[in-house]
Amino acid sequence: MIWNLDNIGEYALPDGRRLVLKDYHSTPRDESNLHCYDANGSLLWQSPAQPSEDEHYVAIHGKSGRLYGNTWDCYLKEISLDDGSILSSVFTK
């Protein structure tokens, strides 16, 4: 089990992987705050770092087998569950 007081939340996937959304205030500016770990706790991927500190994720959710993340600067991003890459990005404000 992954446990860190800097985590906002952990989300279990059906295949045993875990998504970890870290507190963006404690995440270095050049690092993403969304990580995916295997069942043993080894890092599989980290979503790409965003160009601005306001682009850290504040929430993630799944719908119809897809992963979405909301960023502080009002974008909704579809994120690949395979490698964490950004599949689409829509400004929502």
Side-chain angles (χ1 to χ4, degrees):
M1 174 183 232
I2 302 163
W3 178 253
N4 186 328
L5 295 177
D6 292 330
N7 292 350
I8 293 173
E10 290 187 34
Y11 308 89
L13 297 175
D15 62 5
R17 294 180 295 167
R18 299 188 72 75
L19 297 174
V20 176
L21 184 61
K22 296 178 176 262
D23 180 7
Y24 57 92
H25 291 295
S26 63
T27 302
R29 188 173 174 179
D30 61 344
E31 183 180 308
S32 173
N33 66 325
L34 177 60
H35 300 177
C36 181
Y37 295 88
D38 68 16
N40 297 319
S42 297
L43 180 66
L44 295 174
W45 55 257
Q46 176 178 314
S47 191
Q50 306 303 313
S52 138
E53 65 184 56
D54 291 336
E55 289 190 59
H56 281 36
Y57 295 102
V58 295
I60 59 172
H61 63 278
K63 182 176 181 182
S64 302
R66 295 180 177 188
L67 175 63
Y68 297 91
N70 295 89
T71 63
W72 178 256
D73 61 346
C74 302
Y75 281 88
L76 175 64
K77 298 187 178 197
E78 183 179 355
I79 304 158
S80 169
L81 284 167
D82 293 329
D83 62 9
S85 61
I86 306 302
L87 301 175
S88 66
S89 180
V90 177
F91 187 66
T92 59
K93 188 170 185 183

